Amino acid sequence: MKFGTKAIHAGVQPDPTTGAIMTPIYQTSTYVQESPGKHKGYEYARTQNPTRDALQANLAALENGQHGLCFASGLGATDAILKLFKPGDEIIASSDLYGGTYRIMVRVFSEFGLTFRFVSLDDPANLKAALTDKTRMVWIETPTNPLLRIVDIAAIAQITKTRNIQLVVDNTFASPYLQNPLDLGADIVVHSVTKYIGGHSDTVMGAIITNDDETTNRLRFIQNACGAVPGPQDCFLALRGIKTLHVRMDRHCQNAQRVAEYLQKHPKVSQVYYPGLPNHPGHELAKKQMRGFGGMVSFELVGDSLPEAVRVMESFEVFSLGESLGGVESLCTHPASMTHASIPKAEREANGLKDTLIRLSVGIEDADDLIADLERAIG
Ligand SMILES: *Cc1c(COP(=O)(O)O)cnc(C)c1O
């Protein structure tokens, strides 16, 4: 089955009691048992819920994986993955990372004895140099947030596979429509469903997809034991969002390409970060491992003035200033003070993230209106 068909049908069956074509919202905390332990496969809603089951099966299919597990947020999913490890275990993460992922690693899990090292992984050779005999996991994002760098998933997987290290890919920016890390050798895919998968800025949720039975059993145990599960109403909204994922992503890609090309020609713009631009250092690799370049574009203004960047962000009329991304509406974010404020300034700057960087989540509005908004705001 191809992607658009899977998006609409995978994991979803007409409701067995009524034939309802849309998976019902099973808003229940528990299930009646016939006799102690004799039930229909559902005991308590933290452990199992039919609306969540449909979504988990659907997401697994979209990532070409065997198993899907949903969590109350993307970071809830990240938390579960980090709980696979033990004190003394070492994790290498790419240095250009979502701020919240950095925060849970450095401020929560290092307190429990996990060691984290942040390495620039756009060059896979850097990974080889950073590995030790304690390394148990490599965590990457690609495209990265907010600098849209491209990391070679297959090349990193080649290094981790031979050493029995788990490779986790945060596939939030690409979505399963544009990139399937499991096919490229990753062991675990994590998503903030909040973003493109949900797609309508109305739900916070996370997901994990894997092919490995043992990892899944452990993650399923953690999902139930630690309890960061999403509610059925949110699962319904995510399922509804997914039905148009492929259609939305095509438009996100088209609009972002137009916005990036417009910005690149603008005399007041000094730098544009978008993997769909031929001069982007990861362009060829993105063409190889992705089916499109996505909807995220970051840029800097000539002169690198923070007040001027702030003035532009305040001047938008169609782009709304806010955290998050991946919804149908266009958003603009100031990573240094918003999504990445939890990373110390010196570390941000060492990674190339300037205080003047503006990040756009290009929505699916009419591209002419988006360009006109940029023109008005940048001036
Ligand atoms: C938003 C985001 C997360 C965290 O997801 P939440 O649903 O907000 O908890 C993780 N990774 C990336 C790349 C994100 O953009």
Side-chain angles (χ1 to χ4, degrees), residues 71 75-87 89 91 104 108-109 112 114 116 137 139 208 215 218-219 221-223 225-228:
F71 292 82
L75 282 171
T78 301
D79 174 78
I81 294 170
L82 293 174
K83 284 171 179 158
L84 293 170
F85 299 94
K86 292 187 177 60
D89 287 350
I91 289 151
I104 192 173
V108 180
F109 278 88
F112 292 96
L114 300 195
F116 297 93
M137 179 176 82
W139 185 290
I208 300 172
T215 307
R218 183 71 193 157
L219 286 169
F221 172 81
I222 292 168
Q223 183 192 41
C226 302

Side-chain angles (χ1 to χ4, degrees), residues 72-76 78 98 100-101 141 143 145 170 172-173 191-195 204-206 324-325 359:
S73 67
L75 282 171
T78 301
Y98 173 67
T101 306
E141 268 176 36
N145 179 7
D170 181 338
T172 300
F173 265 40
H191 277 285
S192 171
V193 174
T194 315
K195 317 293 171 50
V204 172
M205 198 191 294
S324 200
L325 61 111
R359 189 191 81 181

Side-chain angles (χ1 to χ4, degrees), residues 95 102 336 340-355:
S95 48
Y102 175 91
H340 289 66
S342 51
I343 303 174
K345 183 177 162 81
E347 205 152 322
R348 287 199 307 262
E349 289 185 344
N351 295 336
L353 169 49
K354 292 184 184 174
D355 277 359

